[in-house]
Amino acid sequence: MHLDSASRIAAALAVALAWPLSAPAQPAKGSPEHIQAAVAKVDGRFIRANAATGRDWPSYGLDYAETRHSKLAQLTTDNVKDLGLVWSYDLESTRGVEATPVVVDGIMYVTASWSVVHAIDVRTGKRLWVFDPQVDKSKGYRGCCDVVNRGVAVWRGLVFVGAYDGRLIALDAATGRKVWEQDTIIDHKFSYTITGAPRVFKGKVIIGNGGAEFGVRGYITAYDAATGKQAWRWFTVPGDPAKGFENDAMAKAAKTWDASVKWWEAGGGGTVWDTMAFDPELNLMYIGTGNGSPWAQAKRSPKGGDNLYLASIVALNPDTGKYVWHYQQTPGDNWDFTSTQPMILADLKIGGKPRKVILHAPKNGFFFVIDRTNGRFISARNFVEVNWAKGYDKNGRPIETEIARVVDRPREITPTPFGARNWHSMSFNPATGLAYMPVQNVPFTLMDNKNWKFNASSPLEPHSNLGWNVGMFANAEPPKSQPYGRLVAWDPVAQQAKWTVEHVSPWNGGTLSTAGNLVFQGTADGRFIAFDARDGKKLWETATGTGVVAAPATYEVDGQQYVSIAVGWGGVYGLAARHTERKGPGTVYTFALGGKAQPPAFVEYKLAALLQGVLYDKKDYDAGTALYVSNCAFCHGVPGVDRGGNIPNLGYSATEVIANLDKWLFNGPATKNGMPDFTGKLQPADVPKLQAFIQGTADAIRPKN
C-alpha cells in the first residue's frame, strides 16, 4: 500500500469517526409507539410540571388543584374572534356527554355515554381506537341521572375509566386493550353506579360511586395503578354498629346518627360520585361527599344529628386512606344538598395573610372558603337566592330558617335538589382572582312522605318503583320560583360577584379560564362562547347543534393552541327537557386560530302531534298519575307539557305506541337503549291506568277551538 493511499484511508476513517451518529428515527406522531412513549411519561412529576405550562391537559381538572385554568396565552381577547373549527368527531352517542377530554402530546381520550372511551389523534381528528365496556343497558335505570361518564385518568401508559356498572378498567393507552379490571361494588343487591372520572394520586387510582338515591352506603376506594390491587377503602358514613366500625372516624360519625331507626339498613348515602383534589406538599387528598339516604332526615335520623360525613369535604391521607379532617357544609342534610360539586385548591391572601384554601360552591347555594391544611371554616356567602339558611355563623354552622325542616306540607326550598350548582365544573384564574361558575335554579317543591318505607314503591314518590328511596314527594304543589341559568364570576376573598351573564335556561356547561383573559363555556341552548374574564363581555361564539353540559379543555400541539369541547345533551335535567331545536349525536369539537372546517349537519327536532286516540277510562286517571310519578316522570317528563330531552316525551308519541304500551313496558324493544324492563315492577292491570294519565294529560292541555 502506498503512503498516500494509507493517508487517504486514515483521513476518511477520521472523518467517519468524527461525524455524529444519526439520531434514532422518532416514531410517527399518533403511532402506537408514539402514544405509548408519550403517556408513559405521565406521573405526578409530569402533572405538576405541566401545571406551570399548560401544554397538555393530563388530568380531569387539568392539574392536581383542579383549577381548570390554563397558562396558555396564544388565544387572547384580541384574536379569539378568529377561532375556527379544525375538526369534529362523532362520539356515536345519543345520551348525555359530561366528559372533559384528557390530552397528552396530541392524543385525546374522552368518554361518551355508557362509559365508552374514544382515543382521537388531535392532529387529524381521526379515531385511534374505541373501547366499549359493554354495560348492560337494561340496567340503566339503576342510576339517578343519565348514563353519563365524566372522563378518564391517564398514568404511565395506562388509561383508566370507571364503567357505569361499577367496574374500574385499565386500558393500554396505545391500543385500548384491557390490562386489568376490578369490580368496585361491595354488594350488587344495591344500585351502585360510577359516573365520575377517576384520579391517580401517588400511583393509586381513586374512584367513588353514585347511588345515594337508591339507598346505598358511600365509600371511596384506591387501587394500585399498575396491578389493580385494592390499596384502601374509606366509607363516608357508618355501618351497622353490631358489626363494629372500620375506624375511629366511623365510630365518631355514628354518634351523630339516630340508631333507633337502623339508618344502615337504608345505606345512609354520602356517595363520592364526583369531586376530588390533591395537595402533594401537604400529602392530602380531598373528596366531597353526597346527600343522605333517604333525603328526608326525619326518616333517616328522626332525632336529628349532623349525620357525619354527609354533605362534607373530607381530607384523607392518599397513602393509607386514613381520615385527617372534615368540614360539613350541610349538617343533617334534608334537601339533597350534596357536596360533590367540583372544588378548587388555591393560595389566597385573606386578611393580609397568605392562606392555603379550598374554594367550593356546592348545591346548597353558598360559596365556601376553607383552610385546606386543617379544614377550618374561613367564610361562606350565598351566590344565589336561598331560603333554607340565613347564612353561616363564625363557627361555620348554617343559621337555618323556619321553613328549612317543614315536613307536613309542600315547601319550595331554594336551591332545589337540582342544586344552585351541580357537577358542572368551575375554574379559577389567579391573575383576576375570580372563580367562574355556572349557577342555576330549577323550580321544585318537596314534602316528606310520612309513610315511607325502605325499598317500597310509594305512589307519587319519584321513581320509588325503580328503587329510589328519597322519602319525599316531588312537586305535590307547583313551585312558584322562576328557572334561570347564569355564568357568575365570583371573588372568593370579597365573597361577592364581580360580574354575571344571564343565560336562556338552567343546566349550562362547565367553564375553562386561560392566561389570555378568556373564559369558555358551552350553553344549554347550543352555543360555545368565549367571554372576557375581566368583565364578562362576549367575544366569540359558535353553534354546537345541541345543548352543552360538559366543560372544555385547552392544550398545545406542535406550537398551536387548541380548545376542545365534548357535546351531548343530558344529565338528570336533560333527560326530560331541552332548549335547542336541533339534535345530533355526541360530538367533540376542536378549535384553533384560523380553523376553516365545516360543522357536522345536525337535524331539526320533529315534535309529533299531541297524542290522541288512545281509549281510556277517566276514573283511572288519578291512579295513573301516581304510577307515572313513581315509574316514569324523571325520564319522560310531563306528557305534552315538556318537549322531551334525550328521552322522548310520551305526550308526543304515536297513538299505536301508547295504545300498545304493554309491548314497551314488559321486555320491550327500548330496553336495548336503556329503558327498564318493568316485568315484575308493574302489572298488566297498571297499563290502562298509565294510558289514562298519558292520554288524559295530553287531552287536558290540548288547545280548545
Side-chain angles (χ1 to χ4, degrees):
M1 181 181 293
H2 295 291
L3 184 60
D4 58 343
S5 298
S7 299
R8 285 196 298 271
I9 293 171
L13 284 171
V15 170
L17 290 171
W19 193 262
L21 295 174
S22 299
Q26 295 296 310
K29 301 289 188 180
S31 67
E33 295 78 14
H34 162 248
I35 297 170
Q36 189 56 241
V39 180
K41 296 177 183 177
V42 179
D43 58 12
R45 182 178 298 178
F46 181 96
I47 291 171
R48 295 179 72 177
N50 184 77
T53 66
R55 206 167 279 127
D56 292 302
W57 193 284
S59 185
Y60 177 65
L62 174 61
D63 46 38
Y64 280 142
E66 302 264 323
T67 63
R68 293 181 178 266
H69 174 73
S70 172
K71 300 293 178 62
L72 296 178
Q74 188 179 106
L75 294 173
T76 68
T77 54
D78 293 327
N79 65 18
V80 71
K81 65 182 184 299
D82 300 320
L83 203 60
L85 184 66
V86 178
W87 51 259
S88 60
Y89 174 93
D90 186 354
L91 290 170
E92 301 175 352
S93 59
T94 59
R95 301 287 290 271
V97 175
E98 298 186 354
T100 299
V102 166
V103 183
V104 178
D105 196 10
I107 307 303
M108 176 184 291
Y109 302 98
V110 63
T111 54
S113 47
W114 297 109
S115 322
V116 177
V117 184
H118 294 255
I120 307 167
D121 187 336
V122 171
R123 295 171 174 87
T124 64
K126 302 300 183 184
R127 173 178 298 180
L128 294 168
W129 53 258
V130 173
F131 174 79
D132 185 347
Q134 299 293 322
V135 172
D136 182 352
K137 291 183 171 57
S138 70
K139 301 295 194 302
Y141 72 93
R142 299 190 75 166
C144 70
C145 306
D146 206 354
V147 290
V148 294
N149 185 280
R150 279 179 284 282
V152 304
V154 297
W155 185 270
R156 294 185 178 172
L158 297 177
V159 177
F160 305 95
V161 63
Y164 185 77
D165 57 14
R167 290 172 290 153
L168 179 64
I169 304 170
L171 307 172
D172 184 289
T175 65
R177 177 183 59 85
K178 186 189 299 184
V179 176
W180 58 256
E181 173 180 307
Q182 287 287 358
D183 183 356
T184 73
I185 295 179
I186 57 175
D187 189 339
H188 282 273
K189 292 198 304 289
F190 298 95
S191 291
Y192 285 101
T193 55
I194 295 176
T195 57
R199 313 298 202 277
V200 186
F201 304 145
K202 302 182 73 175
K204 295 179 178 62
V205 190
I206 319 289
I207 193 67
N209 49 57
E213 272 66 50
F214 294 81
V216 304
R217 184 187 183 196
Y219 56 90
I220 187 166
T221 314
Y223 298 88
D224 182 273
T227 66
K229 181 180 179 181
Q230 182 175 318
W232 54 257
R233 172 169 287 152
W234 191 77
F235 287 95
T236 62
V237 296
D240 183 351
K243 297 179 180 179
F245 299 115
E246 291 85 358
N247 48 56
D248 291 343
M250 290 299 101
K252 175 182 175 182
K255 297 175 182 177
T256 69
W257 292 72
D258 178 4
S260 68
V261 293
K262 298 183 179 179
W263 77 79
W264 54 93
E265 293 182 352
T271 48
V272 187
W273 53 264
D274 197 18
T275 188
M276 286 180 260
F278 174 48
D279 186 329
E281 294 178 357
L282 296 174
N283 197 36
L284 291 177
M285 58 170 284
Y286 308 95
I287 62 173
T289 65
N291 55 279
S293 175
W295 291 359
Q297 194 196 25
K299 296 298 178 183
R300 181 181 74 241
S301 190
K303 294 179 183 177
D306 287 352
N307 298 165
L308 292 174
Y309 297 93
L310 297 179
S312 300
I313 292 178
V314 182
L316 302 174
N317 182 315
D319 300 310
T320 63
K322 186 176 180 180
Y323 164 92
V324 179
W325 60 253
H326 80 277
Y327 170 68
Q328 191 170 38
Q329 295 174 320
T330 310
D333 171 46
N334 193 47
W335 313 276
D336 186 23
F337 283 167
T338 66
S339 289
T340 49
Q341 290 57 56
M343 70 179 86
I344 291 173
L345 311 186
D347 295 340
L348 300 179
K349 184 171 284 188
I350 299 175
K353 297 180 180 179
R355 302 288 296 270
K356 294 180 178 295
V357 303
I358 294 174
L359 308 179
H360 199 218
K363 270 191 182 183
N364 74 12
F366 286 87
F367 192 105
F368 293 87
V369 181
I370 301 162
D371 188 316
R372 72 173 182 270
T373 69
N374 53 29
R376 289 177 185 158
F377 173 82
I378 296 174
S379 65
R381 182 72 60 83
N382 60 299
F383 60 91
V384 296
E385 300 83 354
V386 302
N387 68 3
W388 73 276
K390 299 174 184 177
Y392 279 69
D393 65 23
K394 65 180 181 180
N395 297 314
R397 300 278 305 186
I399 305 166
E400 293 185 6
T401 63
E402 296 78 10
I403 193 178
R405 296 188 185 271
V406 169
V407 300
D408 59 350
R409 64 182 185 276
R411 66 216 191 267
E412 186 171 3
I413 296 296
T414 53
T416 72
F418 287 92
R421 191 170 80 88
N422 208 291
W423 59 268
H424 312 82
S425 312
M426 66 180 181
S427 56
F428 176 71
N429 183 335
T432 64
L434 299 176
Y436 305 95
M437 56 184 179
V439 305
Q440 63 185 14
N441 180 54
V442 180
F444 208 70
T445 65
L446 296 169
M447 182 176 72
D448 281 24
N449 176 8
K450 65 180 181 180
N451 297 317
W452 174 83
K453 289 183 176 56
F454 182 56
N455 275 347
S457 179
S458 180
L460 293 176
E461 187 176 327
H463 285 216
S464 59
N465 198 36
L466 293 175
W468 282 45
N469 280 280
V470 298
M472 292 182 176
F473 300 124
N475 288 338
E477 181 179 284
K480 296 183 174 62
S481 66
Q482 296 300 309
Y484 62 76
R486 298 170 183 156
L487 171 61
V488 175
W490 190 264
D491 182 336
V493 177
Q495 284 286 27
Q496 63 185 20
K498 177 72 178 295
W499 53 259
T500 299
V501 173
E502 296 290 336
H503 287 318
V504 169
S505 73
W507 216 247
N508 300 287
T511 69
L512 158 71
S513 69
T514 75
N517 278 324
L518 297 170
V519 175
F520 289 91
Q521 184 190 29
T523 65
D525 61 335
R527 296 177 295 153
F528 187 39
I529 308 174
F531 302 92
D532 191 311
R534 297 162 295 190
D535 57 16
K537 179 182 178 182
K538 184 170 69 175
L539 302 174
W540 170 87
E541 76 168 55
T542 189
T544 57
T546 191
V548 185
V549 293
T554 190
Y555 48 90
E556 183 182 288
V557 180
D558 303 333
Q560 177 90 36
Q561 185 178 354
Y562 293 84
V563 180
S564 293
I565 181 76
V567 175
W569 180 244
V572 64
Y573 176 85
L575 292 172
R578 62 178 170 87
H579 300 282
T580 61
E581 298 304 325
R582 292 194 295 168
K583 66 177 180 179
T587 304
V588 178
Y589 292 95
T590 292
F591 303 89
L593 292 175
K596 302 293 184 183
Q598 292 299 306
F602 279 24
V603 300
E604 298 291 322
Y605 275 103
K606 288 185 170 58
L607 203 61
L610 198 59
L611 178 69
Q612 60 182 354
V614 178
L615 300 177
Y616 67 96
D617 191 328
K618 290 183 179 180
K619 68 178 176 58
D620 287 334
Y621 184 86
D622 288 346
T625 303
L627 284 167
Y628 189 88
V629 171
S630 59
N631 289 277
C632 317
F634 274 15
C635 291
H636 291 288
V638 181
V641 175
D642 298 311
R643 301 187 302 163
N646 64 25
I647 293 178
N649 183 279
L650 299 181
Y652 297 98
S653 297
T655 302
E656 56 269 23
V657 170
I658 305 305
N660 296 285
L661 191 58
D662 58 327
K663 303 295 192 299
W664 294 84
L665 291 174
F666 305 121
N667 196 26
T671 56
K672 67 180 185 297
N673 298 323
M675 181 175 172
D677 176 8
F678 285 93
T679 303
K681 297 179 178 68
L682 291 171
Q683 302 303 316
D686 294 324
V687 176
K689 298 170 186 174
L690 285 167
Q691 290 169 319
F693 174 74
I694 296 167
Q695 183 64 77
T697 302
D699 290 344
I701 66 168
R702 197 183 312 279
K704 305 296 189 292
N705 294 328

